[in-house]
Amino acid sequence: MSFCNPSKNCLKCQRLVDFRTENRKKFPSYYNGPVESFGDLNAEVLIVGLAPGLNGANQTNRPFTNDYAGDVLYPGLKKFGFAKGEYKKRKDDGFELLNVRVTNAVRCVPPQNKVTGEEIKNCRAFLIEEIKSMPHLKIILTLGAVAHNAVLGALGYKLSTFKFAHGAVHYLKNENLILINSYHTSRYNINTGVLTFEMFDDVIKKTKDLL
């Protein structure tokens, strides 16, 4: 186990371990383990999502990679100069993040894409280490309310201190950090109009402007 990433056979969450065991039988070619973060620890921006998708990051071992959510996230980052190369939905596609690191509140794929409060707490130590290990970190962008609350928990804040709202900017003075919220870039949110590409572009632009 590294300072930021769980071991591939992490045993902290029994429900997720059981699901991992099932998936190793069903999908033997998949990574099927806690997904490693993507991007440089020297980045000034950390993006925190919810958890890996079964046929996305759980397969590729790169956050949001081969997920629909990545089809929104990564082109959006590239559009505003936070990435270079061509995103081809594979870990070896040569796509690079610039001044951004991407991770998840829970590192293992959960059944039905739903995590429990206990699983978030069990994974909190890795998120804490991630944040501590980024010496130039200025902005944390959370995708969805669950990720927002996970970051607040990792930093020791009560959840009522900063309310999640799309496009909201919260100033965490004790850590000298800015916390920005976006709705998650999931297929469901895009298809239902909860989040549009333009709305997400606005958040990325705001992130860039605040650096």
Side-chain angles (χ1 to χ4, degrees):
M1 181 170 63
S2 70
F3 52 101
C4 291
N5 296 306
S7 70
K8 190 171 181 181
N9 294 304
C10 181
L11 300 175
K12 282 179 174 284
C13 306
Q14 190 59 52
R15 188 180 77 115
L16 302 187
V17 171
D18 292 343
F19 194 50
R20 179 196 307 154
T21 302
E22 291 177 20
N23 290 325
R24 285 179 176 174
K25 294 176 183 177
K26 290 181 182 177
F27 311 106
S29 65
Y30 285 14
Y31 179 73
N32 289 316
V35 173
E36 298 169 355
S37 302
F38 177 33
D40 198 323
L41 282 169
N42 288 313
E44 294 179 297
V45 179
L46 176 65
I47 297 176
V48 182
L50 173 56
L54 175 59
N55 298 303
N58 178 62
Q59 177 184 353
T60 62
N61 188 28
R62 194 174 74 180
F64 292 86
T65 301
N66 203 41
D67 281 319
Y68 180 88
D71 296 346
V72 181
L73 172 64
Y74 289 131
L77 291 176
K78 183 178 177 180
K79 183 176 182 179
F80 289 93
F82 285 117
K84 67 178 181 178
E86 187 177 352
Y87 170 63
K88 297 180 181 178
K89 306 184 182 184
R90 304 191 315 271
K91 189 174 183 178
D92 63 352
D93 58 12
F95 188 73
E96 294 181 47
L97 297 181
L98 304 174
N99 206 25
V100 172
R101 187 170 168 93
V102 180
T103 193
N104 280 304
V106 174
R107 307 300 178 91
C108 294
V109 59
Q112 301 177 325
N113 291 322
K114 294 180 180 179
V115 299
T116 68
E118 180 182 10
E119 288 159 0
I120 293 170
K121 289 179 181 178
N122 287 345
C123 230
R124 181 176 292 166
F126 303 110
L127 184 57
I128 291 171
E129 284 301 315
E130 191 103 38
I131 293 169
K132 285 182 178 178
S133 299
M134 297 183 69
H136 306 295
L137 183 61
K138 294 180 179 178
I139 295 175
I140 300 176
L141 169 59
T142 56
L143 304 183
V146 173
H148 169 78
N149 291 339
V151 169
L152 291 181
L155 294 174
Y157 287 94
K158 292 182 178 179
L159 301 189
S160 59
T161 308
F162 300 102
K163 294 289 187 180
F164 174 87
H166 179 79
V169 177
H170 312 283
Y171 292 89
L172 313 182
K173 295 181 180 179
N174 290 347
E175 291 78 18
N176 197 29
L177 292 173
I178 298 173
L179 179 62
I180 302 178
N181 300 152
S182 172
Y183 290 128
H184 197 283
T185 56
S186 67
R187 184 189 299 272
Y188 177 83
N189 282 347
I190 296 292
N191 287 348
T192 58
V194 169
L195 179 69
T196 65
F197 287 89
E198 292 77 16
M199 287 168 66
F200 188 64
D201 281 353
D202 287 344
V203 170
I204 299 301
K205 183 179 184 301
K206 184 178 293 185
T207 300
K208 190 175 184 70
D209 291 344
L210 284 168
L211 280 177

